[in-house]
Amino acid sequence: MIDRLRRFIPVLDWGRTYNGEALSNDLIAAVIVTIMLIPQSLAYALLAGLPPEAGIYASIVPIVLYAIFGTSRALAVGPVAVVSLLTASAAGQVADQGTAGYVTAALTLAFLSGGFLLLLGILRLGFLANFLSHPVIAGFIAASGILIAASQLKHILGVQAGGHTLIEMLGSLIAHLGETNVITLTIGVAAIAFLFWARKGLKPLLRGMGFGPKISDLLTKAGPVAAVVATTLVTWYFSLNERGVSIVGEVPQSLPPLTMPGFAPDLLTELAVPAILISIIGFVESVSVAQTLAAKKRQRIDPDQELIGLGAANLGAAFTGGYPVTGGFARSVVNFDAGAETPAAGAYTAIGLAIAAVALTPLVYFLPKATLAATIIVAVLSLVDLSILQKTWGYAKSDFAAVAATILLTLGLGVEIGVATGVAISVLLHLYKTSRPHIAEVGLVPGTQHFRNINRHEVETDPTLLTLRVDESLYFVNARYLESLIQARVTEGCGIRNVVLMFSAVNAVDYSALESLEAINRRLSDMGVGLHLSEVKGPVMDRLKTSHLIDHLNGHVFLSQYDAWQALTGGCRDAANLDRPPGQAHGRSANTIKTAAQG
C-alpha cells in the first residue's frame, strides 16, 4: 500500500531522505528562481492577455502541487511563452481581453487542460505524446517564437495593434506606425539591447571585476530584474506615464484568490479542443526538459506520473486565479544550475512568490509594459531555431515538408491551426512510413549462418526459395503491401517452390495482418508454393497460436533462418530486389553468389 502511494505521490519517496544539505541547496535555488520569476510571470501574463497578477498566481499553487505529485527533481512549473500565446489565442475567441469573460475563459482552459492531463496520467497514456514528431515540435516552437515576438512589438512601439497571424500583426503594426510613442520605443529598445548584452557580456564583465563564478552567474540571471528596476525608477522619476508610456499600474496585494472556472456547456465545448492542444504541447515541452535534466544526474522520471503532476498543477491554477501552466525550459535550467536537489525547491519558490504578491506588487506600479515586452522578446527569440529546415532538408525530405508546413501554417493561419496541423502531419507521416515497410530479400553470407540483403552483400541464393525479411511490425496499414509484394514476386516465373517470411524484426501482428497472412497462405497453397516462417519472436508466436494460421500453414515454422535454408534449398535461383514497386521486373541473371548493388 505504501509503495503504491509513493508511486502516485512521489513526495513520500524523496521526502524520506530529505536532509539539511538538500534544504540548503533548495533554498538557494529557490531564491535565484524567485528573482527570475517575478518579472517573467508578469510578462507572460501580459502575453496571455491577462492582468499581471495572474502570472504570479499561476506560479504559486501549481508549483506546490507539482512538487507533491511530480517526479522531476528540477522542473520548475509555471507560465511559459508558448502556452501563454495559446491561451491568448483560445480565450480571445470567446471573449474580449480585459473582460471578466476572458479571465473566466483562461481559468476554464486551465481546468480542462488539468482534467485532460490527469485523465491521461490515470490511464497511463503518456505514450500518446510520442505521436508529435520532434521536427514538427521544433517547427511549431520556432514559428510560435516569431509570433510571440511580433505580438510584443506593439508594446515596444506604444501603439494599439492586434491580429492572430504574422500577416495580421505586421499589417496592424504598419497601419499604426505613425502613432509610435518615442519614449516608449526608447525604453523598449534599450531594455532589449541590455537584456541581450546581459546574456553574453555581463558574466565576463563581472568575472573581470573580481566577482566569483557563483555570484557572477547569479547576477547575470538577475539581469531582467535590473532592467525592471531601472526602467521603473526612470518612469516614476520623470512621470513618463503622463507622457504616454503604458505602465503595469496597480497590482492587487494579495495571495492567490479562490476562483471558479466556467462550466457552461457552450464554453466547455468551445474550449475543449484548444485545451487538448495546450495540454499536449505543454506536456511534450515539460517532459523533454525534465528528461534532459534528469539524465544529467542519472535520475529518471515517469511520464505517466508527470501527467498527473502537471494535471494537478493546472487544476490548482484554475481555482487560484491562474491560467494553463507547464514546465518551463529557462526556469528549469536555472533551477537545476542553481543546485536544486528536490521538488521542495519549487515549494520554496512558491513561498517567495507569495511574499512578493503580498508585499512587493506596489513596487511594479510604474513598470513600463515595454520592459515586460522586451523580456518576452529576448526569451522567445532563443526558441527560434530555423536551422531545423536545413537539417531536415539534408536528412529526410518528408521531415522537411512537415517542419515547413507547420511553420508556414502557424505563421499564416495562427497557432491553433498550426499545432493541429502539426499533430495531423506527425500521425500521417508515421502511417505513410509504416504503410510501406522495408522488406528485404535476403540470402546466406558464404561461410556463415547470417542472412543479408541481396542488393547490399554478396550472398548465396536459391531459385526455388524466396526469403523475405520483414523489417516492421505488421498491422492494418501495411498488411496489404506485403500481400502485393509476395503475389508479384512469386508470379514472375522463377520457379519458386517455397517462401520464407523472416520475422526477426516483427514485434506485433494485428488482426488485419493476420487475415493477410492467412490470405497469403491460401494463395500460395493453391499455387503449390509452401509458406514458412522463421525467427518468430515469442510474444508474436503466442498471438499466432491463438488463431488458425499455424494449424493451416502449408509450410513450417523454423527456429532460425539458417534452419529454413538447410531444409529448403536445392540449387541456384534468380534474386529480385523487393525494394522496387511490386511487379517491376528485375532483369538480373542467375548466380549462386550475388554481387551487392551499389547504394
Side-chain angles (χ1 to χ4, degrees):
M1 181 63 180
I2 295 297
D3 290 337
R4 187 177 182 85
L5 282 175
R6 286 175 185 162
R7 194 183 77 179
F8 287 104
I9 309 177
V11 67
L12 297 177
D13 182 26
W14 58 262
R16 292 181 304 158
T17 58
Y18 200 68
N19 54 34
E21 182 180 357
L23 172 64
S24 175
N25 291 334
D26 286 345
L27 285 173
I28 293 172
V31 170
I32 295 173
V33 175
T34 299
I35 293 172
M36 174 186 179
L37 276 186
I38 292 173
Q40 193 179 78
S41 297
L42 297 172
Y44 288 151
L46 179 71
L47 174 60
L50 294 164
E53 64 269 18
I56 295 179
Y57 295 161
S59 302
I60 297 178
V61 173
I63 294 179
V64 175
L65 290 173
Y66 179 82
I68 296 172
F69 295 103
T71 58
S72 172
R73 302 292 181 97
L75 192 70
V77 170
V80 299
V82 174
V83 170
S84 297
L85 180 64
L86 287 168
T87 299
S89 176
Q93 294 178 7
V94 298
D96 294 328
Q97 286 190 15
T99 64
Y102 188 92
V103 174
T104 300
L107 295 173
T108 306
L109 278 171
F111 174 76
L112 291 173
S113 179
F116 180 69
L117 289 167
L118 200 60
L119 179 63
L120 289 182
I122 292 172
L123 297 178
R124 306 191 72 76
L125 297 177
F127 69 91
L128 292 176
N130 296 334
F131 283 99
L132 266 179
S133 68
H134 173 73
V136 166
I137 286 291
F140 173 73
I141 290 177
S144 296
I146 295 173
L147 279 180
I148 291 168
S151 73
Q152 296 307 296
L153 291 177
K154 62 183 180 183
H155 298 295
I156 299 295
L157 298 172
V159 300
Q160 295 294 323
H164 296 288
T165 68
L166 185 61
I167 295 173
E168 290 176 354
M169 290 177 187
L170 294 180
S172 181
L173 285 170
I174 293 172
H176 293 86
L177 201 57
E179 304 168 11
T180 300
N181 184 292
V182 177
I183 299 176
T184 300
L185 178 61
T186 302
I187 292 173
V189 171
I192 291 173
F194 170 76
L195 290 173
F196 271 121
W197 172 79
R199 286 193 164 200
K200 300 291 185 180
L202 182 56
K203 189 172 182 177
L205 176 64
L206 293 172
R207 292 302 307 276
M209 295 172 63
F211 288 93
K214 288 188 176 181
I215 189 65
S216 297
D217 194 48
L218 174 60
L219 292 175
T220 299
K221 291 181 173 66
V225 177
V228 166
V229 172
T231 56
T232 300
L233 288 174
V234 169
T235 303
W236 164 74
Y237 185 79
F238 293 103
S239 300
L240 297 182
N241 56 306
E242 297 177 1
R243 300 172 66 180
V245 174
S246 181
I247 60 175
V248 169
E250 186 176 354
V251 178
Q253 286 182 265
S254 68
L255 293 173
L258 290 177
T259 53
M260 287 294 291
F263 295 108
D266 291 344
L267 181 63
L268 294 176
T269 301
E270 197 160 358
L271 294 179
V273 173
I276 291 173
L277 295 178
I278 288 172
S279 302
I280 294 173
I281 291 296
F283 175 64
V284 170
E285 179 179 353
S286 180
V287 167
S288 300
V289 174
Q291 288 178 333
T292 299
L293 297 180
K296 292 183 178 182
K297 289 191 174 182
R298 298 192 178 185
Q299 298 168 348
R300 63 176 296 273
I301 67 165
D302 180 354
D304 293 314
Q305 186 60 35
E306 285 297 290
L307 283 167
I308 293 176
L310 290 174
N314 276 280
L315 289 176
F319 292 100
T320 57
Y323 65 97
V325 298
T326 191
F329 176 76
R331 73 187 65 173
S332 297
V333 171
V334 170
N335 196 37
F336 179 87
D337 290 342
E341 293 281 347
T342 72
Y348 303 146
T349 299
I351 294 173
L353 289 172
I355 294 172
V358 172
L360 302 181
T361 51
L363 301 179
V364 299
Y365 182 92
F366 287 98
L367 173 60
K369 288 185 177 180
T371 304
L372 295 180
T375 302
I376 294 173
I377 290 172
V378 173
V380 299
L381 285 182
S382 64
L383 302 176
V384 180
D385 180 15
L386 296 180
S387 66
I388 188 69
L389 290 169
Q390 179 183 358
K391 294 174 183 176
T392 52
W393 175 263
Y395 186 76
K397 298 300 186 290
S398 60
D399 286 332
F400 170 81
V403 174
T406 302
I407 291 176
L408 292 176
L409 288 171
T410 301
L411 294 177
L413 299 177
V415 289
E416 291 184 1
I417 293 178
V419 69
T421 304
V423 173
I425 291 174
S426 296
V427 174
L428 289 174
L429 278 177
H430 170 73
L431 293 177
Y432 174 75
K433 290 175 181 178
T434 57
S435 69
R436 299 177 62 84
H438 182 265
I439 300 176
E441 183 171 346
V442 298
L444 178 67
V445 178
T448 73
Q449 296 184 12
H450 300 292
F451 290 79
R452 293 292 185 268
N453 191 326
I454 63 172
N455 293 308
R456 294 179 179 274
H457 302 272
E458 294 185 354
V459 293
E460 296 178 9
T461 59
D462 187 294
T464 67
L465 177 65
L466 172 65
T467 298
L468 302 177
R469 189 189 68 220
V470 183
D471 293 335
E472 182 74 57
S473 292
L474 295 175
Y475 69 119
F476 67 95
V477 171
N478 58 26
R480 297 281 179 167
Y481 182 76
L482 178 63
E483 277 190 63
S484 300
L485 251 171
I486 294 175
Q487 183 72 16
R489 185 65 181 86
V490 297
T491 56
E492 287 180 349
C494 296
I496 295 173
R497 294 199 295 269
N498 291 287
V499 174
V500 181
L501 297 180
M502 187 174 174
F503 270 25
S504 55
V506 176
N507 295 316
V509 176
D510 77 354
Y511 190 78
S512 296
L514 173 66
E515 289 188 329
S516 291
L517 291 174
E518 291 175 340
I520 293 169
N521 184 55
R522 286 194 300 270
R523 291 171 188 166
L524 292 181
S525 182
D526 292 341
M527 298 169 66
V529 177
L531 176 65
H532 311 270
L533 305 178
S534 73
E535 302 189 9
V536 183
K537 294 182 177 180
V540 176
M541 180 59 74
D542 291 341
R543 184 61 60 87
L544 295 179
K545 284 181 178 178
T546 64
S547 69
H548 299 293
L549 176 66
I550 301 300
D551 294 334
H552 295 163
L553 195 68
N554 65 357
H556 301 283
V557 178
F558 294 96
L559 182 64
S560 71
Q561 179 57 35
Y562 188 69
D563 292 341
W565 170 268
Q566 287 185 311
L568 302 174
T569 52
C572 65
R573 57 154 298 184
D574 181 21
N577 175 16
L578 289 187
D579 288 331
R580 293 189 298 270
Q584 181 176 324
H586 50 82
R588 296 176 63 183
S589 59
N591 290 299
T592 301
I593 298 180
K594 296 294 179 184
T595 303
Q598 297 301 314

